[in-house]
Amino acid sequence: ASTASLRKHRPGTTTRSGAPKRRMARTCTGEVCVRSRFPSSSQNVVYASVDGHIGWQLVGEPPRRRSGWGVFPVAGTDPEAGWDEIVPFAEMPRSRDPETGWIATANARPESDGGTYVGVDFADGYRLGRIGELLSEREDWDPDSTARMQLDVTSLAWRELRGAVLAAAPSTDEGQEAVAQLRSWDGRVAADSSGATVVEYLIVVLARAVATRGAPGSVDWALGRGATPLVPRSMFEFRWAGTLSRLVREEPDWLPPWPELIGEALDATGARVTAEHGPPGPGWAGGTVRPVGLPPPIGARAPFARVFALTLPGAGPAGAGAQGAVRIDAAPGPPGFIPALRSVLALRDGSR
């Protein structure tokens, strides 16, 4: 969702050591608290002032393209490729003192009053929506409760898909077991949850079934194949739960009836989970099926592997506070993305 630019090749721009210059106002009495000189990839910046204001500003330098949307590489020799100017800072999305009383960002599409185009490769709004739910539940936040929010594993996507999935009628014993696991599931993609395993497999199976019917010539791209080796996966991969939810509501005529399609997917899901993890039991637990591995390069080789090749139970869907993205083009396994480098800071004295 970010756009990078090579500043040294654009006349009239300079940078120092590649580091962005941030100039923050001490108080937010004016319209803008974050100044415009931020020569780096796009970032969400949130701020709070000592006089009680909060705000959000998207910073960076997205270009005004002559053509296209910047999703796929184009030939540099094409005169219609490239751009002539950068979106002015004054037109970048922002928000100040929203009615909700809180501000959150979570890789979702920026929302603002303006129509400035800043890209298309964003995550679904589930994680942002769940953060908003939790923030709205209380006002007495402290470091401990804020840290617990970061570990939330509730799936909002399942809330939207649950009715359609449980209304389907699988035809095999394995499919019946899969839907039975989901009937009693609380919607939390927890490490000890069998229902979490079933729903992650189900989304993988349904995504391929839908992509095969809707884009038979480009299934791999639809499932998240990246445009270059430098970016091997795209954000399409992380939007399939939301895509399925939308298609269930819209019922497009190019898809079979959803009860039929979901019933077949439940049969396939039950068969795959059973074949790969045995009968229902501890082997179906989400943290067992989707372990988080943290092996640094040196840790992959003996004798260091015993010390550095860590494996932990995985948890969380792509759209939760503790997100654990699944490779949508393969059987669910170790999450491709996990939360990292998060912290909670208690500002006792905002004047310092």
Side-chain angles (χ1 to χ4, degrees):
S2 299
T3 301
S5 62
L6 300 178
R7 294 182 57 84
K8 66 178 181 180
H9 294 303
R10 192 183 325 130
T13 60
T14 60
T15 187
R16 181 171 56 193
S17 301
K21 298 177 183 177
R22 300 177 179 88
R23 293 188 291 173
M24 304 292 291
R26 191 166 182 78
T27 60
C28 296
T29 54
E31 180 182 359
V32 177
C33 277
V34 185
R35 305 301 295 176
S36 61
R37 304 304 295 172
F38 202 103
S40 69
S41 60
S42 300
Q43 301 288 334
N44 287 298
V45 175
V46 295
Y47 58 84
S49 70
V50 295
D51 53 356
H53 295 284
I54 60 174
W56 159 75
Q57 174 73 58
L58 183 66
V59 299
E61 297 184 331
R64 292 197 194 278
R65 299 181 183 276
R66 299 189 194 109
S67 64
W69 304 103
V71 178
F72 297 107
V74 296
T77 55
D78 184 350
E80 292 301 314
W83 58 85
D84 298 312
E85 62 178 1
I86 299 300
V87 174
F89 181 76
E91 298 181 23
M92 293 289 282
R94 69 191 63 188
S95 175
R96 185 170 183 263
D97 293 335
E99 293 183 2
T100 59
W102 51 262
I103 288 174
T105 70
N107 302 115
R109 181 183 298 277
E111 299 291 343
S112 69
D113 295 335
T116 301
Y117 174 79
V118 293
V120 298
D121 213 9
F122 299 99
D124 278 328
Y126 292 124
R127 186 155 61 102
L128 182 61
R130 179 57 179 163
I131 292 170
E133 281 189 352
L134 294 172
L135 288 174
S136 299
E137 288 177 358
R138 58 189 298 175
E139 295 183 356
D140 58 336
W141 291 97
D142 58 24
D144 289 339
S145 58
T146 305
R148 287 194 297 271
M149 179 175 65
Q150 298 280 6
L151 300 176
D152 180 74
V153 293
T154 300
S155 172
L156 294 192
W158 173 242
R159 292 184 193 172
E160 298 177 351
L161 292 169
R162 186 178 189 275
V165 172
L166 298 187
S171 61
T172 66
D173 291 343
E174 291 88 350
Q176 293 286 350
E177 180 58 43
V179 78
Q181 294 285 341
L182 294 177
R183 288 188 191 281
S184 60
W185 184 43
D186 62 3
R188 298 179 68 254
V189 186
D192 60 352
S193 171
S194 297
T197 293
V198 174
V199 81
E200 297 288 1
Y201 267 84
L202 179 63
I203 289 174
V204 168
V205 172
L206 279 173
R208 181 165 290 277
V210 170
T212 300
R213 289 169 170 82
S218 53
V219 173
D220 288 344
W221 301 100
L223 294 178
R225 178 182 173 185
T228 73
L230 294 175
V231 186
R233 308 298 299 169
S234 76
M235 293 296 286
F236 286 0
E237 181 167 57
F238 312 121
R239 296 208 295 259
W240 265 103
T243 297
L244 292 172
S245 176
R246 175 176 57 81
L247 293 175
V248 165
R249 296 192 302 272
E250 295 176 353
E251 298 183 323
D253 56 11
W254 52 271
L255 282 175
W258 277 107
E260 174 186 333
L261 191 60
I262 294 175
E264 294 174 353
L266 284 166
D267 289 336
T269 294
R272 285 184 63 179
V273 177
T274 301
E276 295 172 15
H277 304 287
W284 283 33
T288 302
V289 174
R290 299 174 55 214
V292 176
L294 302 173
I298 193 173
R301 301 172 181 245
F304 302 103
R306 293 184 180 180
V307 177
F308 294 105
L310 304 177
T311 301
L312 305 172
Q323 76 266 35
V326 173
R327 279 289 297 264
I328 208 72
D329 64 336
F337 293 90
I338 60 173
L341 301 179
R342 291 187 176 179
S343 61
V344 177
L345 305 177
L347 302 179
R348 303 295 182 187
D349 185 351
S351 65
R352 295 183 178 179

